[in-house]
Amino acid sequence: MSAVSDRLPTFPWDKLEPYKKTAAAHPDGIVDLSVGTPVDPVPELVQKALIDAADSPGYPTVWGTPALRDAITGWVGRRLGARGVTHKHVLPIVGSKELVAWLPTQLGLGPGDRVAYPRLAYPTYEVGARLARAEYEAYDDPTELDPEGLKLLWLNSPSNPTGKVLPKQELTRIVAWAREHGVLIFSDECYLELGWEADPVSVLHPDVNGGSYEGIVAVHSLSKRSNLAGYRAAFLAGDPAVLGPLLEIRKHGGMMTPAPTQAAVVAALGDDSHVREQRQRYAARRTALRAALEKHGFRIEHSEASLYLWATRDESCWDTVAHLAGLGILVAPGDFYGPAGEKFVRVALTATDERVRAAAQRL
């Protein structure tokens, strides 16, 4: 076991524990803006669908029910502008993190193969490469990478942690470059429905991919847009030549979305009203936190989408974490997402209205 665990870095959130204790000691309690876990209720229609499917004694299928595949294909067409998407173009997954962590292994990557991801990025992209013993590197512009041996290119728009959005023309340029060099793109689009000052575009849009899904797969999650982090509900959409083999591998691995969750996803993807309501909640929290942080002396960069504010006081991120912990506010240090984040903190919008008001007042 140690041979596997030794490949991995220290779990980043463990480093935050002392600061969490400091914040929790605040007389009015902690305001936890660190992890970004949803706190609002699961929509009632989704809860009902889950309950109605509770009597599910048999094994679910890895590919999901036909109703689930219909719901996914319908949503990517309606919401993302994707065209010609069939059941062969989609694959349910057990939350997006397991996919990110195990994708290089499931693709058969190993020593000598390279995985690339943004300079500031979700740390699990690197973890996935480490688990597969593949090489890994961060980029500013992926088209400046050496394509030799580059087997997997992660895109992330809107970005976690920065909230930066890749414009349509940029995505189009990157997709064309990757295809020219035979590089597989996986585009993490889990925050796509949370654009504020930008309208995020999917790699599945025909203006980006020219009407072909060759060499591209999009990753989507219901954790944030529908408050389903506890359900582990996500899916892939894109190239059938990639998803077909992944389906077979995942069948052998027993990577099945539970049947009640599948039913809940069908309900969630078929309803847009709860997404609009959740957006309004996050928009109000974002406005309050942004104003309070800026008055407190922070500068906010990017943050045009997603569930985070990327904030700096031009000091060590750990000094900022300590300062805010003293106010009872816990945030994520920017260096969790790469050395380029060493002077930033990531401030999540995922706290109740009451806790956000408390944070704003303390700031």
Side-chain angles (χ1 to χ4, degrees), residues 18-60:
Y19 302 91
K20 187 173 185 178
K21 289 180 181 177
T22 299
H26 190 280
D28 185 38
I30 189 173
V31 180
D32 193 342
L33 307 178
S34 60
V35 176
T37 187
V39 297
D40 299 303
V42 172
E44 285 188 17
L45 84 162
V46 178
Q47 293 190 48
K48 183 178 185 304
L50 184 86
I51 292 167
D52 289 346
D55 186 15
S56 297
Y59 289 112

Side-chain angles (χ1 to χ4, degrees), residues 37-54 60 68 92-98 220-235 250 255-269 274:
T37 187
V39 297
D40 299 303
V42 172
E44 285 188 17
L45 84 162
V46 178
Q47 293 190 48
K48 183 178 185 304
L50 184 86
I51 292 167
D52 289 346
L68 175 57
I93 53 177
V94 192
S96 59
K97 184 171 185 175
E98 65 89 355
H220 283 270
S221 167
L222 286 86
S223 292
K224 305 307 195 312
R225 49 98 68 194
S226 298
N227 297 330
L228 296 189
Y231 283 45
R232 309 316 301 135
F235 60 88
R250 294 170 69 83
M255 295 175 135
M256 302 171 280
T257 302
T261 294
Q262 293 190 29
V265 172
V266 172
L269 291 179
H274 77 274

Side-chain angles (χ1 to χ4, degrees), residues 15-303:
K15 301 177 186 177
L16 209 53
E17 280 302 314
Y19 302 91
K20 187 173 185 178
K21 289 180 181 177
T22 299
H26 190 280
D28 185 38
I30 189 173
V31 180
D32 193 342
L33 307 178
S34 60
V35 176
T37 187
V39 297
D40 299 303
V42 172
E44 285 188 17
L45 84 162
V46 178
Q47 293 190 48
K48 183 178 185 304
L50 184 86
I51 292 167
D52 289 346
D55 186 15
S56 297
Y59 289 112
T61 65
V62 173
W63 202 15
T65 62
L68 175 57
R69 283 176 261 141
D70 282 343
I72 295 171
T73 58
W75 183 83
V76 298
R78 183 178 78 250
R79 179 63 184 84
L80 306 183
R83 297 290 177 263
V85 176
T86 70
H87 286 195
K88 290 184 178 181
H89 291 85
V90 301
L91 178 62
I93 53 177
V94 192
S96 59
K97 184 171 185 175
E98 65 89 355
L99 181 280
V100 175
W102 293 107
L103 178 64
T105 299
Q106 292 176 5
L107 291 174
L109 305 189
D113 297 322
R114 291 165 51 234
V115 176
Y117 45 81
R119 181 78 56 198
L120 285 163
Y122 184 45
T124 312
Y125 302 137
E126 177 185 326
V127 166
R130 284 176 177 249
L131 285 170
R133 295 192 180 93
E135 298 173 17
Y136 52 89
E137 61 187 290
Y139 64 77
D140 295 307
D141 178 350
T143 66
E144 295 178 356
L145 292 166
D146 179 358
E148 183 67 29
L150 181 59
K151 298 297 179 65
L152 175 60
L153 174 62
W154 279 107
L155 304 183
N156 181 209
S157 176
S159 163
N160 173 17
T162 69
K164 182 180 179 180
V165 172
L166 292 175
K168 184 188 293 184
Q169 62 270 25
E170 184 74 356
L171 285 172
T172 304
R173 182 178 70 85
I174 294 168
V175 167
W177 177 87
R179 284 176 170 166
E180 178 186 351
H181 296 287
V183 177
L184 175 62
I185 285 179
F186 264 68
S187 180
D188 181 347
E189 303 175 352
C190 290
Y191 296 92
L192 186 136
E193 299 222 70
L194 295 166
W196 310 114
E197 288 133 15
D199 187 13
V201 178
S202 171
V203 293
L204 301 181
H205 195 286
D207 288 353
V208 172
N209 60 44
S212 166
Y213 301 114
E214 179 186 357
I216 56 172
V217 177
V219 184
H220 283 270
S221 167
L222 286 86
S223 292
K224 305 307 195 312
R225 49 98 68 194
S226 298
N227 297 330
L228 296 189
Y231 283 45
R232 309 316 301 135
F235 60 88
L236 306 177
D239 191 345
V242 177
L243 298 188
L246 277 180
L247 172 58
E248 295 305 311
I249 292 164
R250 294 170 69 83
K251 283 180 181 177
H252 285 289
M255 295 175 135
M256 302 171 280
T257 302
T261 294
Q262 293 190 29
V265 172
V266 172
L269 291 179
D271 177 72
D272 295 329
S273 60
H274 77 274
V275 181
R276 288 192 293 269
E277 291 172 7
Q278 190 59 44
R279 275 182 54 87
Q280 290 170 359
R281 293 187 188 109
Y282 285 137
R285 293 166 186 165
R286 179 178 183 270
T287 298
L289 283 172
R290 180 167 194 149
L293 286 165
E294 288 177 337
K295 287 181 182 177
H296 198 75
F298 282 90
R299 184 175 74 255
I300 309 297
E301 292 193 2
H302 302 301
S303 307

